[in-house]
């Protein structure tokens, strides 16, 4: 009997395929997004040195978000990551959606980051 792949495994395969061609540099680091059912996490990463330059997530105790699994929470995290990136002197990033579809929380985070000043 045929058994389809679990979504998590197929998402990982899509993410690996995306990451083959997607690299963050010091001039244009990678904005990586990971979402779970309850929270959303973002990092601005310089892949040439392997360092995380800026991070924001809905798990932070002093963060602006109480519940992390909503579109509103993703919007707040997008604004927060853009503010922290601009403080660090980062204006342009490469967007890495992490294998997730570009809609819902991922789209809300990206649009909020763009409105707050990040360029993709």
């Amino acid at each position: 009997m045929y058994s389809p792949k679990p979504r998590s495994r197929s998402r990982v395969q899509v993410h690996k395929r995306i990451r083959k061609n997607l690299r963050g540099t010091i001039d244009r680091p990678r904005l990586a997004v990971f979402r779970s059912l309850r929270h959303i996490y973002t990092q601005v990463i310089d892949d040439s040195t392997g360092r995380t330059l800026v991070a924001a997530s809905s798990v932070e105790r002093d963060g602006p978000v109480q519940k992390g699994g909503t579109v509103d929470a993703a919007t707040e995290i997008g604004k927060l990551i853009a503010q922290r990136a601009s403080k660090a002197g980062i204006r342009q990033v490469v967007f890495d959606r992490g294998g997730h579809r570009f809609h819902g929380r991922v789209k809300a985070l990206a649009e909020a980051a763009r409105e707050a000043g990040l360029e993709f």
Side-chain angles (χ1 to χ4, degrees):
M1 180 185 273
Y2 175 71
S3 174
K5 290 184 211 172
R7 280 190 184 173
S8 61
R9 189 170 3 142
S10 62
R11 184 197 65 81
V12 170
Q13 288 176 340
V14 170
H15 184 58
K16 285 181 181 179
R17 194 167 53 239
I18 290 169
R19 287 282 290 125
K20 283 181 187 177
N21 300 318
L22 193 68
R23 294 277 178 245
T25 63
I26 193 69
D27 298 328
R28 193 168 175 164
R30 176 171 55 100
L31 175 63
V33 176
F34 175 76
R35 70 172 179 83
S36 67
L37 290 176
R38 294 187 179 203
H39 297 287
I40 191 154
Y41 309 84
T42 60
Q43 296 178 326
V44 177
I45 303 168
D46 175 13
D47 287 321
S48 60
T49 60
R51 290 183 50 223
T52 298
L53 305 174
V54 181
S57 71
S58 60
V59 180
E60 296 175 4
R61 289 183 182 212
D62 57 347
V65 178
Q66 297 301 321
K67 292 188 176 184
T70 64
V71 172
D72 295 332
T75 303
E76 291 299 318
I77 296 301
K79 291 176 188 175
L80 184 62
I81 194 73
Q83 289 171 356
R84 291 181 180 175
S86 65
K87 270 188 184 179
I90 301 166
R91 296 276 183 239
Q92 292 184 331
V93 294
V94 176
F95 189 68
D96 177 11
R97 59 188 171 88
H100 300 288
R101 293 181 182 170
F102 190 78
H103 80 286
R105 290 182 282 163
V106 175
K107 184 177 179 180
L109 185 139
E111 289 176 349
R114 280 187 187 131
E115 288 175 7
L118 279 182
E119 296 176 20
F120 295 11

